[in-house]
Amino acid sequence: MTHGEFKSPRTYMVRLPHGADLIEAIESACRDRDVQMAGIMAIGAVRRATIAFYDLDEKEYRQRTFDEPLEIASLVGNTSLRDGELMLHAHASFSRENGEVVAGHLASPTEIFATEVRIDVLHGKPLERALDDVTGLTLWGGTL
Ligand code: ZN
């Protein structure tokens, strides 16, 4: 098991720029504030969204872009480090006008229409992602 212990000294509430990529914009908002570890939540709307589903047997993401306006019904994730660089890992549920939901691992391109993000800063030794041989994913602490 890998874990970190953190104190949460502050929370930022940030409106992200129209037209930007959602992952890049959240990562940029964190970097601009010298944030490495954080809990992330967001709501808003996008012009298109890309989500991925991880095939456990093939050990690869199956990615799909929905080229339509969608509400961000919920987005939950975190930031940590991979190769020393900040990396967002987030999952999101996007809803259509009729209430249908598409959801999964957030990927790019996902184009922001309007998005408000909550960044809960976590102070402590940052967790580092590394390849986990068992799952094929980049997980905190790598292979255990
Ligand atoms: Zn994921």
Side-chain angles (χ1 to χ4, degrees), residues 81-128:
L81 300 180
R82 180 181 180 180
D83 299 325
E85 298 290 322
L86 179 108
M87 177 191 155
L88 171 71
H89 180 204
H91 289 192
S93 299
F94 296 98
S95 65
R96 296 187 164 114
E97 186 179 4
N98 66 5
E100 287 179 349
V101 171
V102 294
H105 174 97
L106 181 65
S108 295
T110 295
E111 183 183 341
I112 294 169
F113 181 76
T115 300
E116 298 169 345
V117 62
R118 173 178 171 159
I119 301 169
D120 290 313
V121 179
L122 300 171
H123 274 192
K125 186 177 184 301
L127 292 170
E128 288 266 358

Side-chain angles (χ1 to χ4, degrees), residues 125-139:
K125 186 177 184 301
L127 292 170
E128 288 266 358
R129 291 186 178 278
L131 181 64
D132 174 65
D133 293 331
V134 176
T135 63
L137 294 165
T138 51
L139 302 177

Side-chain angles (χ1 to χ4, degrees), residues 20-131:
D21 182 77
L22 186 52
I23 290 177
E24 291 174 12
I26 293 173
E27 289 180 340
S28 178
C30 291
R31 279 192 209 100
D32 290 350
R33 291 162 181 81
D34 291 323
V35 173
Q36 292 185 313
M37 292 292 302
I40 301 291
M41 289 189 278
I43 55 172
V46 297
R47 285 201 181 277
R48 62 179 166 155
T50 303
I51 55 175
F53 180 85
Y54 193 69
D55 185 314
L56 304 185
D57 296 321
E58 297 296 322
K59 294 185 179 177
E60 63 183 23
Y61 281 105
R62 305 215 185 284
Q63 195 164 298
R64 185 166 171 191
T65 298
F66 297 86
D67 200 359
E68 58 186 298
L70 296 159
E71 292 282 330
I72 305 171
S74 67
L75 181 152
V76 176
N78 58 64
T79 64
S80 56
L81 300 180
R82 180 181 180 180
D83 299 325
E85 298 290 322
L86 179 108
M87 177 191 155
L88 171 71
H89 180 204
H91 289 192
S93 299
F94 296 98
S95 65
R96 296 187 164 114
E97 186 179 4
N98 66 5
E100 287 179 349
V101 171
V102 294
H105 174 97
L106 181 65
S108 295
T110 295
E111 183 183 341
I112 294 169
F113 181 76
T115 300
E116 298 169 345
V117 62
R118 173 178 171 159
I119 301 169
D120 290 313
V121 179
L122 300 171
H123 274 192
K125 186 177 184 301
L127 292 170
E128 288 266 358
R129 291 186 178 278
L131 181 64

